Amino acid sequence: MANALRGEVSLDLDGKVYLLKFSANSTCAFEGVMGVGMGSLGGMASSVSMVRAMVWAGLRKHHPEITLDMVGDWIDTYGLDRFVEPI
């Protein structure tokens, strides 16, 4: 179960619940993929690349088997808005 006080949020996709954990490690993973620090995102904050990378980074702690490509496929299937709210 997600604990918002610990930076966790649930993501339900067709009855399967994934747990995203936003932490120092997930932030570093995100920044590594995006090539920029979180503070310098600016207008990129609503880009598909940013959402995909943020969801992927949040999943790494509890679902390390999920890849960037898998998250991109989910965005294609469920729509970008489905992933903006959890992050």
Side-chain angles (χ1 to χ4, degrees), residues 18-72:
Y18 296 90
L19 185 62
L20 286 79
K21 168 84 173 161
F22 295 106
S23 63
N25 287 330
S26 64
T27 300
C28 290
F30 170 83
E31 290 176 342
V33 167
M34 295 303 293
V36 296
M38 291 286 279
S40 63
L41 286 175
M44 192 168 67
S46 62
S47 76
V48 175
S49 295
M50 187 281 303
V51 172
R52 182 183 78 146
M54 184 65 78
V55 171
W56 168 80
L59 288 167
R60 292 183 41 137
K61 173 77 173 175
H62 298 289
H63 309 280
E65 72 282 3
I66 304 296
T67 66
L68 280 166
D69 283 342
M70 290 169 75
V71 175

